[in-house]
Amino acid sequence: TTLSRMRNQQAAKESLDSLAKSIRVADNTMEKIGKVVDRMSATVKNVIKNYPPFFNGSDDRIKLLNSFNSLRRQIDQMTMPPDNFTAMTIMASPENIPEHGDWEFMSQNEGVHELIARREVHTGEEGLDIPELPAEITDQELYEVLDKLEKALKTLEERRSGLASDAQAVSQYGAVNGKSGNQEETLAEQLKITDLTES
């Protein structure tokens, strides 16, 4: 019936709007994580480039290493926004969430469409691969950590680009399946995510 079709269209719209919000939350979080990684790099550089040099085990050196580890924990917390389970599922480690996997949107006419893939940006090996720093870490090992942080930023950029592709897929799906007359704002505009591969 017409009423039934209208209800189905409304349910689909709400699902798309929910996906749009989750992608926006994940993208904003990834942007903030990038700034935290920059702070971590600055912290490591403060340790290895300080003059006079810190000696291993000094209070100032350990304070900076603890600051690094605190920022690392902050990243993992950021990947688990308590009010958005879908965004959490995109970004967080599978170990920290009861359900995980790529998200799919069901179309009654065309079957299942995979729209939202996992884009893990936690500090573990499958995410940004940022190690915790022990108090006895050497300067040479800290230079290796700097390399890891550089790679982490590249990984983060790649995963934001992938998220932008997912946003485009959601937008195209919404355009194909239509939105009612006075809702001229497209999902792409709602998402406010640009294709990072073009920048």
Side-chain angles (χ1 to χ4, degrees):
T1 66
T2 301
L3 180 59
S4 176
R5 283 197 301 273
M6 288 176 61
R7 286 175 176 167
N8 288 338
Q9 288 172 357
Q10 179 64 19
K13 176 198 172 300
E14 288 173 357
S15 296
L16 286 170
D17 286 346
S18 178
L19 286 173
K21 177 182 178 182
S22 296
I23 291 174
R24 188 167 61 245
V25 168
D27 181 69
N28 289 340
T29 301
M30 289 182 189
E31 182 180 10
K32 292 174 184 175
I33 287 174
K35 294 176 181 177
V36 175
V37 175
D38 285 337
R39 289 172 59 194
M40 297 172 88
S41 294
T43 300
V44 172
K45 289 174 183 175
N46 282 343
V47 175
I48 58 182
K49 296 185 177 181
N50 190 73
Y51 189 84
F54 294 121
F55 63 87
N56 275 5
S58 71
D59 289 344
D60 288 336
R61 183 182 177 97
I62 289 176
K63 183 178 179 181
L64 286 170
L65 296 177
N66 287 340
S67 174
F68 178 99
N69 291 331
S70 177
L71 291 170
R72 183 179 181 273
R73 289 190 295 271
Q74 183 178 328
I75 288 175
D76 285 333
Q77 291 169 355
M78 291 169 70
T79 65
M80 300 180 66
D83 56 348
N84 196 305
F85 182 75
T86 301
M88 182 190 305
T89 304
I90 292 170
M91 298 183 292
S93 169
E95 297 176 359
N96 294 328
I97 46 181
E99 300 175 18
H100 62 275
D102 295 345
W103 283 77
E104 297 176 331
F105 181 81
M106 175 68 78
S107 163
Q108 292 182 339
N109 296 326
E110 302 175 36
V112 174
H113 294 258
E114 182 181 294
L115 295 181
I116 310 298
R118 290 187 55 75
R119 312 284 178 188
E120 297 178 42
V121 290
H122 52 84
T123 60
E125 290 183 4
E126 298 302 316
L128 301 181
D129 193 18
I130 300 174
E132 186 170 1
L133 303 187
E136 65 276 9
I137 193 168
T138 66
D139 283 0
Q140 181 56 45
E141 289 170 328
L142 285 174
Y143 278 108
E144 295 173 5
V145 171
L146 281 178
D147 289 340
K148 277 185 171 288
L149 292 171
E150 191 67 31
K151 291 177 182 176
L153 286 174
K154 291 178 181 177
T155 298
L156 188 63
E157 182 178 351
E158 290 169 359
R159 296 192 179 170
R160 282 192 76 195
S161 293
L163 192 65
S165 297
D166 290 343
Q168 184 63 29
V170 172
S171 177
Q172 289 173 348
Y173 185 89
V176 168
N177 287 274
K179 301 185 81 176
S180 59
N182 61 355
Q183 293 168 322
E184 296 178 357
E185 183 182 31
T186 67
L187 280 165
E189 289 169 338
Q190 288 183 43
L191 292 166
K192 300 191 187 317
I193 296 177
T194 57
D195 187 348
L196 300 179
T197 59
E198 295 179 357
S199 60

